[in-house]
Amino acid sequence: MNAPPLLIAGCGYLGQAVARMAMERGREVMGICQRESSAQALREAGIQARAVSLSDSDAVLKLAGDLPREMTVVHCAASGRGGGSDAYRAVYLEGMRNLRAAFPAASRILFTSSTSVYPQIDGSVVNEDSLAEPDRETGRILRAAESETLTAGGTVVRLAGLYGPGRSVLLRNFLTGESLLDIRTEPPATPDGRWVNQIHRDDAARALLLAVNTGATRGLVLNAADSTPMLQRTLFNELARRFDLPFPPSAAPDVSRKRGWSHKRVDASRLRALGWEPQFPSWFDALDGDASLIPSVLAQLE
C-alpha cells in the first residue's frame, strides 16, 4: 500500500530537505510556503508547491479542498527572523489549529517544535519527561501548539539548534568575532559557558520522516539532537585552533534571547530507540564530513 501524500507546511530550509528525501523514496509531496516567489522557486526545483499563509484559515481550507483527505501533514514552518510572540502565535499555534481543522482525516500530523521549551539552567540532562515550562511567551506558544498536535493524536519533534549547508549561527558568529562565552557567576554557575545542543538539517529531516512513518510515535514527544552536547569552552577552543582565531570574550548570559537562555543537555534516546541515528554525531563531525558546510558559511561572509 502506498504511503499517503505528504504535505509540508513550511517548505523552507528544513522542509525542502524533508521533501527531497520523501520524493527520493517515491512519495508524493506538496510543499506550502508564505510567498508566491518561494513557491515558484520550489516548483523550479521540482517540488510541487503552493503559496498559502498558515494563519489564514480560509486559505488553508481552500488548499485542503484541492488535496486528498488522508494527507500526512508536517508542520515545520518558521516564524521568520526577528519574529516575536505575534509571529509565533500566527505561524505555530494558529497554523496548527488551521491545519487540524482543514485536514481532520489526516493520516498523520506532526509538529516541529524546539528544545528551547526546556528552561533548565543547571546543566542537567533533559528528556521528553523533563519539565518543559518555558519562561518566555514564545516558548509558551510552542507548548500550546504541541498540545494542539498531541490532542489530534499527532507527534511532536523538538529539535535542537538546526544547522547545515549555508546555515550555522555558531560558526558564523565565531568567524565574525561575535561569539561570547556565557559566564554565569551566581549559582548554578557556568565557568565553561553553557551547553550547546545541535542537529544537522539532514539528520533532522530523517528524524521527521521516521516519526511520520512509524505508528509507534502517535501521541509522542520526541527530542532530536546529535549525540554530543558540548560546552561553549570546548567548542571555542577547538574552533580557535582550527581557524587560528582568538578565543571569544566572556559575558553574562543574554537572557533576552527570543527563545530564552538555557543550560542543559538534550537526550534523544527515545528517537534512537526507534532506529534513528545521526549521520553526524557531533557538530565537528559535520564540519569534517559535510563538504559544503564550511564553504557555504564562508561564502555568506564575503
Side-chain angles (χ1 to χ4, degrees), residues 50 59-69 71 99 101-104:
R50 297 263 294 269
V60 178
L61 280 170
K62 183 177 185 303
L63 170 73
D66 298 334
L67 298 175
R69 284 170 46 82
M71 300 288 289
L99 288 168
F103 294 94

Side-chain angles (χ1 to χ4, degrees), residues 228-270:
T228 319
M230 286 186 280
L231 286 165
Q232 285 179 305
R233 189 177 297 279
T234 301
L235 281 164
F236 294 156
N237 274 330
E238 177 61 14
L239 286 174
R241 184 192 69 80
R242 288 185 178 220
F243 291 97
D244 193 24
L245 289 171
F247 191 90
S250 301
D254 178 11
V255 297
S256 67
R257 294 169 57 184
K258 181 168 64 173
R259 292 189 176 180
W261 184 87
S262 62
H263 173 51
K264 78 266 181 170
R265 289 166 283 168
V266 176
D267 174 17
S269 58
R270 181 179 289 178

